[in-house]
Amino acid sequence: MMKLNWIELLILCLIFSAAECGFHSLQFLSSGLVKSTGRPVFEQLLLFDGVEISYCDSRTRQEQLKPTLQTKHLPETCDEARADILAFLYETTPFINRTVGVVQRRRGCIQSDDGSVSAFEAWAVNGMDFLTFDPESQKWTSQSPSSETVRHLWNKDKERNFAFRHFIRHLCPEMIQKITLRSVNKNTELRVFGKPTAYTNQALLRCHVTTTDKSAGSVHLVGDAAPQAIWTSVTGPVPSGDGCVILRLTARIYTQKPNTYGCTVQTGSHNRTVYWDGKTLDGTDLANKFNSNWKVLSLLIGLGFTIIASTILFYGIIVLRKCDKKIPVPKKLDSLMMRLIENSSSPELKIIALSFVFGSNIPEKYKESLEEWAKRMKEKDLNYYDPDYFAGNSNVSEI
């Protein structure tokens, strides 16, 4: 693209507030596109103070005036500009060491309140600077190594260079004096909408401002959740071509908090704030979609845990049943053994019989015999291990 110079800086100043800067500008933006068939297509856009006032192309060759233009003192056709573009494509392309797909031309003038005029003319090839024209010296300057041959050729064509200078230094300022734009009421529109992303819990919040109030210079993200935005970027203000200025804010946010995000645009006369309703430009509800997806996901997670727990419990019961089958079930009590338990006067014998018949699950009615046997065994052990017992027993002989 063409490099930004002091002329373009003045033009940008004009775009946002021509009256305050004290300048008026008129720009002729021409282009020629070479199609695959080899036949070029021509287009030209005419801007006054950054506002589109006329359009012309190779199909009609007639200037189509825009509604923003109140006066009609403009050339009726764009034949001259079209001829210049075609001459470049047919005559100079062979001298350029590359294939030419697009040729761009920007020419015009800037007039200040004191009547002084600054004129400019520049050409580009395939989006890169190619040649620039100095109207005072009527000489061309190369902006690309491939333009040297063309520069020498054009510098020799003094008649054409004089015509170029006359147009941008004299005819262009005369046109400026005859142009009047329609007055536009100051109006500011702010639209806030979301765009889905690859992450279901995130969205791109877009705040789009279109205003005829050229004092509008900024748009901000506001709301309780604004500090939680992942990132924010602002572009503009830039002219829309119809007398409006466009600003745009883009922020990456979390979709579960729709009504806590908003945007505020500041103008010289008032501020306007709009909060996001959680929807996209086509009306899709991103916030509810996220909440629905989260509910479905939670339901699936809960269902999954329930299935897993049920499976574990099911197999646990099966294992316990298998283990339970290995535990011997008491056989039918032998009548002789039961008589031994009932009639024996020896606790030791009863305990042996009880253990043989019931194992560790001895019925309550037999636990008295077990306790008596345990008591006797304790007394026996105490007598056996007590030194005083042996010292007081006269039947024990010394060793």
Side-chain angles (χ1 to χ4, degrees):
M1 296 181 67
M2 298 183 185
K3 297 179 180 177
L4 186 67
N5 53 32
W6 66 274
I7 294 177
E8 290 177 308
L9 290 175
L10 290 176
I11 294 173
L12 289 176
C13 182
L14 290 164
I15 290 173
F16 303 122
S17 183
E20 293 180 4
C21 293
F23 295 90
H24 287 291
S25 71
L26 187 61
Q27 294 186 81
F28 296 80
L29 305 180
S30 307
S31 63
L33 173 64
V34 180
K35 288 189 172 182
S36 58
T37 58
R39 185 176 182 180
V41 176
F42 169 80
E43 291 182 331
Q44 178 171 274
L45 186 65
L46 185 56
L47 303 178
F48 177 73
D49 291 347
V51 178
E52 297 179 8
I53 61 174
S54 180
Y55 172 80
C56 187
D57 58 27
S58 56
R59 183 177 60 85
T60 63
R61 301 188 189 179
Q62 298 292 319
E63 290 289 352
Q64 304 171 38
L65 304 182
K66 300 290 185 178
T68 54
L69 183 64
Q70 183 172 335
T71 58
K72 301 182 182 299
H73 300 289
L74 290 175
E76 295 181 358
T77 68
C78 55
D79 286 339
E80 182 182 348
R82 175 178 173 273
D84 291 339
I85 293 292
L86 294 179
F88 183 96
L89 291 172
Y90 291 131
E91 298 174 10
T92 62
T93 298
F95 301 102
I96 303 173
N97 297 325
R98 53 178 164 164
T99 301
V100 177
V102 179
V103 175
Q104 297 167 295
R105 180 191 193 185
R106 181 177 62 83
R107 65 172 176 167
C109 59
I110 301 172
Q111 187 176 49
S112 63
D113 288 342
D114 60 6
S116 60
V117 177
S118 300
F120 52 90
E121 170 124 12
W123 291 70
V125 174
N126 296 338
M128 302 298 293
D129 291 345
F130 191 73
L131 287 172
T132 55
F133 181 64
D134 179 14
E136 302 307 320
S137 64
Q138 300 182 41
K139 296 292 183 180
W140 295 90
T141 301
S142 296
Q143 301 296 332
S144 170
S146 61
S147 66
E148 280 297 324
T149 304
V150 178
R151 180 181 69 86
H152 288 296
L153 291 174
W154 284 17
N155 281 336
K156 293 178 181 180
D157 193 343
K158 298 186 181 300
E159 183 177 350
R160 183 174 60 177
N161 292 340
F162 177 81
F164 283 179
R165 179 185 185 278
H166 180 72
F167 181 87
I168 60 178
R169 288 286 295 165
H170 300 285
L171 296 182
C172 181
E174 291 177 6
M175 292 182 191
I176 286 179
Q177 298 300 323
K178 299 176 182 179
I179 294 175
T180 303
L181 298 179
R182 297 185 185 277
S183 59
V184 180
N185 295 329
K186 292 184 178 180
N187 181 45
T188 300
E189 294 184 1
L190 173 58
R191 302 186 67 183
V192 181
F193 55 92
K195 297 181 68 176
T197 66
Y199 302 94
T200 56
N201 67 331
Q202 297 180 16
L204 289 179
L205 182 69
R206 180 66 55 80
C207 303
H208 188 86
V209 180
T210 304
T211 178
T212 56
D213 189 348
K214 295 181 181 179
S215 65
S218 61
V219 58
H220 302 284
L221 186 67
V222 297
D224 297 337
Q228 302 176 15
I230 301 172
W231 54 260
T232 304
S233 66
V234 179
T235 57
V238 295
S240 64
D242 57 359
C244 295
V245 171
I246 295 175
L247 297 94
R248 186 173 66 188
L249 180 145
T250 304
R252 195 178 189 95
I253 62 170
Y254 293 101
T255 54
Q256 65 266 37
K257 298 179 179 179
N259 295 318
T260 54
Y261 292 100
C263 283
T264 294
V265 56
Q266 300 177 346
T267 65
S269 58
H270 67 282
N271 295 342
R272 184 175 182 184
T273 301
V274 175
Y275 280 88
W276 182 46
D277 59 1
K279 297 181 179 179
T280 62
L281 191 60
D282 61 2
T284 302
D285 197 332
L286 289 180
N288 286 341
K289 183 179 180 181
F290 168 76
N291 292 331
S292 300
N293 291 341
W294 177 249
K295 289 179 180 178
V296 172
L297 181 60
S298 301
L299 181 62
L300 292 176
I301 293 175
L303 182 61
F305 277 115
T306 302
I307 293 175
I308 293 173
S310 301
T311 303
I312 294 175
L313 180 62
F314 175 75
Y315 282 102
I317 293 174
I318 292 177
V319 172
L320 290 176
R321 286 182 176 179
K322 289 182 178 180
C323 294
D324 185 59
K325 291 180 180 179
K326 296 179 181 180
I327 300 174
V329 179
K331 299 178 180 180
K332 186 177 180 179
L333 298 179
D334 185 85
S335 58
L336 179 61
M337 189 66 66
M338 288 302 301
R339 285 198 300 271
L340 179 62
I341 293 173
E342 296 292 340
N343 301 326
S344 176
S345 59
S346 171
E348 291 84 354
L349 188 58
K350 280 187 176 183
I351 291 300
I352 294 173
L354 287 171
S355 299
F356 179 81
V357 175
F358 298 104
S360 60
N361 299 318
I362 299 176
E364 289 290 335
K365 64 179 182 179
Y366 299 117
K367 286 186 177 181
E368 183 178 354
S369 300
L370 180 62
E371 292 175 356
E372 181 181 354
W373 172 79
K375 182 178 179 181
R376 291 181 58 184
M377 292 299 297
K378 184 176 180 181
E379 291 177 353
K380 181 179 180 181
D381 291 341
L382 180 64
N383 292 336
Y384 184 81
Y385 292 108
D386 189 355
D388 294 336
Y389 173 80
F390 290 102
N393 193 341
S394 56
N395 295 325
V396 178
S397 61
E398 294 183 1
I399 298 176

